[in-house]
Amino acid sequence: MTAHEVPNTLRVEGFRSRRSYGFLNLSQRATMIAAAVLLAEGVIAVQQPLTLLVTLPTTFAVLGLTAARRHGMPALFYYWAVVAWKLAARSETTSYRAVLLPHPYALDLPGVAASSTLIKAHDATSGRDVGVVHNRASGLMTVSTLLAPGGSLMAPTGSVRGNLRTWASVLDAMSTEDQIKGASVTIQITPGAGDALGDDVTQRRVADAPVLARSVVDELIRTAPHATASVSPWMSVTVDPTATANAPKDLGEQVAETLRVVDALDLSGTGADIIRRATDVDLRRLVRAAYDPDSFHARDAEIRELSWGECGPQAADDGFEEYAHDGGVSLSWVLREMPNRPIPYSALLPLLSPGRFQRRVTLAYRVLDPHEGEAVLEREISNAANRADATAQVKGRARWSQKADYVKAEKAAAQAAGGAQVVDWTLMVTVTARGAAELPAARQEVERAIKATRSIRMRPAFGAEAAVFAAGLPVGYNPLVK
């Protein structure tokens, strides 16, 4: 086994995108709508035949755009996003400027985080303060847990297998807990955090040391600030505290119920070491540092003075392919399609390796309850069988890709019947450059890292840069939570 090979027991599989059954590349819903539209046009044409000269070309153009693909999604959706963004930009709704507004708007973050507010709570179990993000629109609450940056690349195979099994148990606990609506794991890599290391080595440098030792130390001092990075991982869990038989009566009871649910999740044995629940100061620092990277190493006293709304940007412009904000410009990518083969547990390592720019990699989860998961898998098996049968009737045999897809759907159903959980998940990556001049280098750095994974395909977050940017922050927004 070479250094780049991974045993089959340390590979993860079972990925599959949902596919409905329809005509050509159309979904079932799109096919039904198209049939209804064509039927209506036929009825109208009985009285006014000339209308077909206008309606038929328009209908077939829309169907063609829906069936065609652009960046892995229907071309109609892509061009619709382009038009929608241009209309929003014309009305200046893509620009944000912090202004003094009456309460409660003065404390709001921009975009999808506008309905969030930060609550400082006291956890009686640990005796420490905890920061809880409350979504005032949905009533959901999010608690983040700070994790220790570690890895399993040097761990024995048995330990890694045990970590994967334990993580599967955590997903199983999420599926049976109705109050947990979703979760996300984010790893933020901030380069240039080696300044403190260089300063420490400089202070301990001995002037009368051997020449070779001094040259090595000098080289370390010179390169350390550029070759090191600060890694900040955290896990955010979104909870609905009211989804219980005895719903909490007030906000205090809702916070207590949220902390109880989150404390029930045991991450020990997953390979991640828990530092503590994120405090309100931790959350303010993470959010503020995302918009202004220079404030990442600010003192706690400075961060504590910021209100929740002040943690956001003073000015921001949501472009179609970039997001400009305080202290930099960010680019975001989202998962284009599921991996079509088993991937090693270290597949995301190229994305998690330090680079020149600050980067956030976020895995968002929504674990389906057993009944919903079973219904989804049965529907996917039927859709895969219908697609294969339809192709066989036209061409004489089904395509091999359709046969393989049907086998994967059956295998997923068999795994679910054996106790596995069905999980909706997505991957998001955000990189932040200090200015527009550095955007090409930042884009190239991330695109090279994505290609180095050899199994993950991603695309830019067209027209949703600000939303994906916020999804990687502990602000209570998870795109998979309905």
Side-chain angles (χ1 to χ4, degrees), residues 197-206 217 221:
L197 175 62
D199 295 341
D200 181 67
V201 174
T202 301
Q203 295 176 359
R204 300 168 62 182
R205 186 175 182 273
V206 179
V217 171
I221 295 173

Side-chain angles (χ1 to χ4, degrees), residues 370-445:
H371 298 290
E372 182 184 0
E374 181 181 0
V376 168
L377 293 177
E378 290 296 333
R379 184 168 59 250
E380 291 299 307
I381 292 176
S382 299
N383 292 337
N386 291 334
R387 282 193 301 270
D389 292 341
T391 303
Q393 291 177 5
V394 175
K395 297 185 176 181
R397 67 172 180 86
R399 293 195 297 264
W400 284 110
S401 59
Q402 293 175 334
K403 295 179 180 179
D405 185 61
Y406 178 77
V407 172
K408 290 177 64 176
E410 279 195 325
K411 186 176 181 180
Q415 291 175 340
Q421 302 303 323
V422 182
V423 180
D424 280 343
W425 68 279
T426 189
L427 177 67
M428 296 166 286
V429 178
T430 297
V431 63
T432 299
R434 294 305 178 95
E438 296 181 346
L439 280 183
R443 180 181 286 106
Q444 184 181 55
E445 180 180 280

Side-chain angles (χ1 to χ4, degrees), residues 10-30:
L10 297 184
R11 292 182 179 271
V12 184
E13 59 179 349
F15 307 108
R16 186 179 178 277
S17 300
R18 295 189 187 184
R19 299 182 179 92
S20 59
Y21 170 63
F23 180 72
L24 295 178
N25 288 333
L26 299 177
S27 63
Q28 184 178 11
R29 182 180 179 183

Side-chain angles (χ1 to χ4, degrees), residues 242-315:
T242 62
T244 180
N246 298 320
K249 299 179 181 179
D250 54 25
L251 187 62
E253 292 184 0
Q254 292 179 10
V255 172
E257 181 68 14
T258 299
L259 295 178
R260 183 196 67 79
V261 173
V262 175
D263 288 340
L265 284 179
D266 186 10
L267 297 180
S268 59
T270 60
D273 295 330
I274 298 177
I275 299 179
R276 66 176 185 276
R277 302 291 182 208
T279 64
D280 59 314
V281 177
D282 295 327
L283 297 181
R284 288 189 179 95
R285 180 184 301 277
L286 292 174
V287 175
R288 184 57 195 157
Y291 290 103
D292 184 11
D294 291 335
S295 63
F296 182 79
H297 299 287
R299 296 179 179 179
D300 286 350
E302 299 176 6
I303 299 297
R304 190 177 289 108
E305 293 177 354
L306 297 176
S307 66
W308 184 237
E310 292 173 337
C311 296
Q314 295 299 310

